[in-house]
Amino acid sequence: MSVVPKLSLPCYGKTELNRFGKIGKKLGNMELTAIEKERYSRHILLDEVGEEGQKQLKASRVLVIGAGGLGCPALQYLAAAGVGNIVIIDADIVSRSNLQRQILYAEKDIGKPKAEVAAKRLQAQNPTIEIQYFTEALSANNALSLFKNFDLIVEGSDNFSTKYLANDAAVLANKPLVMASIFKFEGQLSVFNYNNGPTYRCLFPDRAAAESIPTCSEVGVLGVLPGIMGNLMANEVLKIILGIGEILQGRLLRFNSLTFQFQVFSFQKDSSIDIDKLEKIAISCPDENAIKTISFEEFQQKKESFTLVDVRTDSERNLKSLGGLHIPLSELSKRALELENNDNLVVYCAAGSRSKIAVTQLQQEFPQKKILNLEGGINLVQANQK
């Protein structure tokens, strides 16, 4: 691959974005101060970076979607490297279960907005840059107006609706998208829409299949894995801004933390995929009002009149199970007719999110059936039994 061209990054003036939480002050002159020259001296020593490269970093604007497991390490290293304008968007709050891997937060931050806590922590670590944040979710209503203000986008969320939305908005706004994902002991990373290259949909065209994959909150994740993948994301961002190295476009990096194997797979741009608007309906967010739940205690009292349906993956089923019929969510659309003769269904997964999607699908297939979602999934059942 050829060396990538340097970006021509403008010096931005007053932002037009609303609802910002502002931490730092506006950067003016893109010349490096004496303090910045000392802070970034190890960058400046590199022939491939130098003072001009450091000025490029100072002038750049990067939007980071998600301040969780992937976002925390990516943000720390982008801020430390001197990326001059960083904006964080995340609607989540800090919980105790985050602290195992989301290294920007502490016990005292539980219950606080992640984006705000992260912004303050990063600004304290590097006062020479500007940090801003949104405590709201990325949506079809705000994505395009956000993306147009940045040089590139970093996507580290934990749900596929946001990933597809970020991909489509990046295509429409013509911005490169650095994206990673993690699952238990494995991580994936690629750069999409770089120089009109392949997009996320070229690699994963079947959104419904992607939605069937359980999240970290359902199956767990090794704490160091998002740190590794988040740093690799930051590496791609710096390469793109500085115009050095070979960008991971048209290639998917897979990392297995147990075997310490890195694999790179090539994929091509699918010219038949036409993205002309943003989808406003997220598969991962079914109509909560249309879904009725049942607790495990209630199910136990009435289990003779219900059929239990497990929509988790084969590997999850093998580890632990409540019994019942097994139809993984990714196969449900093809195998739904297997439930035709069962009148009352209780659907479960690990924590209750995939089963909501399954209930929605089954309600469309069998509008006359009574179909309930098992509250909290198998995780809640096991927690209550301890």
Side-chain angles (χ1 to χ4, degrees):
M1 287 206 175
S2 60
V3 175
V4 299
K6 288 207 173 195
L7 293 178
S8 177
L9 300 178
C11 176
Y12 289 85
K14 185 177 180 181
T15 180
E16 297 177 354
L17 299 179
N18 297 319
R19 300 181 304 281
F20 261 136
K22 296 185 178 181
I23 300 296
K25 60 183 180 179
K26 282 291 173 188
L27 298 177
N29 186 0
M30 288 304 151
E31 293 297 321
L32 300 179
T33 66
I35 289 176
E36 288 171 327
K37 288 180 181 180
E38 182 179 1
R39 174 182 280 271
Y40 306 122
S41 60
R42 299 304 185 269
H43 267 176
I44 294 171
L45 286 172
L46 295 169
D47 292 337
E48 295 84 354
V49 181
E51 281 198 32
E52 289 305 310
Q54 196 61 49
K55 291 177 186 178
Q56 287 279 97
L57 292 172
K58 184 175 180 178
S60 62
R61 289 180 60 88
V62 175
L63 174 67
V64 178
I65 304 167
L70 291 166
C72 282
L75 282 163
Q76 276 199 296
Y77 272 91
L78 292 177
V83 172
N85 298 266
I86 298 174
V87 174
I88 308 164
I89 181 168
D90 194 317
D92 201 7
I93 61 173
V94 179
S95 65
R96 185 168 281 108
S97 63
N98 298 149
L99 304 182
Q100 163 247 19
R101 64 200 178 281
Q102 299 180 21
I103 40 79
L104 283 175
Y105 312 120
E107 192 81 15
K108 64 183 176 62
D109 300 318
I110 292 173
K112 298 177 183 178
K114 287 183 180 179
E116 181 179 1
V117 175
K120 289 179 179 178
R121 196 69 40 81
L122 294 169
Q123 193 67 76
Q125 290 176 357
N126 189 352
T128 72
I129 65 173
E130 180 190 13
I131 305 286
Q132 296 176 308
Y133 65 92
F134 284 109
T135 54
E136 61 183 85
L138 187 74
S139 71
N141 294 325
N142 62 26
L144 282 178
S145 62
L146 270 173
F147 281 28
K148 69 181 183 180
N149 291 276
F150 299 93
D151 302 303
L152 56 88
I153 315 299
V154 178
E155 204 289 328
S157 73
D158 62 354
N159 71 84
F160 287 96
S161 292
T162 301
K163 292 186 182 299
Y164 280 95
L165 174 61
N167 174 80
D168 296 354
V171 171
L172 293 173
N174 193 26
K175 305 293 182 180
L177 174 67
V178 178
M179 183 187 293
S181 60
I182 51 177
F183 181 77
K184 297 176 73 172
F185 302 100
E186 294 189 3
Q188 297 184 348
L189 169 69
S190 189
V191 177
F192 301 105
N193 200 48
Y194 180 78
N195 285 345
N196 198 34
T199 74
Y200 186 65
R201 288 186 183 271
C202 299
L203 183 61
F204 299 112
D206 188 353
R207 180 172 172 175
E211 293 283 357
S212 70
I213 300 173
T215 64
C216 294
S217 63
E218 295 173 311
V219 298
V221 63
L222 187 66
V224 298
L225 178 62
I228 296 168
M229 301 308 298
N231 279 306
L232 292 176
M233 292 171 77
N235 184 59
E236 291 303 303
V237 172
L238 296 182
K239 285 159 55 183
I240 292 172
I241 294 172
L242 294 169
I244 59 176
E246 297 180 359
I247 304 304
L248 198 64
Q249 63 162 333
R251 295 180 295 158
L252 177 70
L253 172 70
R254 292 184 63 182
F255 170 66
N256 186 312
S257 63
L258 295 183
T259 62
F260 208 77
Q261 287 184 318
F262 287 87
Q263 297 174 299
V264 178
F265 304 91
S266 297
F267 61 97
Q268 301 297 319
K269 183 178 178 66
D270 186 346
S271 57
S272 68
I273 296 176
D274 182 24
I275 299 170
D276 58 4
K277 62 181 180 180
L278 298 183
E279 297 180 32
K280 292 196 175 184
I281 299 176
I283 292 177
S284 63
C285 299
D287 184 358
E288 300 287 346
N289 295 324
I291 297 175
K292 295 182 179 180
T293 62
I294 184 172
S295 68
F296 186 67
E297 291 75 16
E298 292 176 298
F299 168 72
Q300 287 286 72
Q301 296 172 6
K302 305 174 183 178
K303 63 181 179 181
E304 299 301 324
S305 58
F306 282 96
T307 298
L308 197 60
V309 182
D310 181 358
V311 295
R312 298 173 302 150
T313 62
D314 291 337
S315 58
E316 291 176 279
R317 174 84 171 189
N318 292 335
L319 285 175
K320 53 186 178 182
S321 172
L322 298 177
L325 300 177
H326 180 221
I327 304 179
L329 181 58
S330 60
E331 302 174 16
L332 187 59
S333 59
K334 298 178 182 178
R335 297 177 55 189
L337 288 179
E338 294 179 22
L339 303 171
E340 189 173 19
N341 297 323
N342 302 99
D343 292 330
N344 300 317
L345 305 176
V346 172
V347 185
Y348 77 95
C349 63
S353 58
R354 281 173 290 164
S355 53
K356 289 179 182 177
I357 299 172
V359 169
T360 300
Q361 292 183 15
L362 290 171
Q363 285 174 334
Q364 294 171 352
E365 185 75 29
F366 307 113
Q368 304 304 317
K369 288 184 184 295
K370 185 175 183 179
I371 306 172
L372 304 176
N373 183 46
L374 185 64
E375 183 180 356
I378 191 172
N379 290 349
L380 183 59
V381 173
Q382 293 195 324
N384 290 337
Q385 290 177 343
K386 289 181 180 178

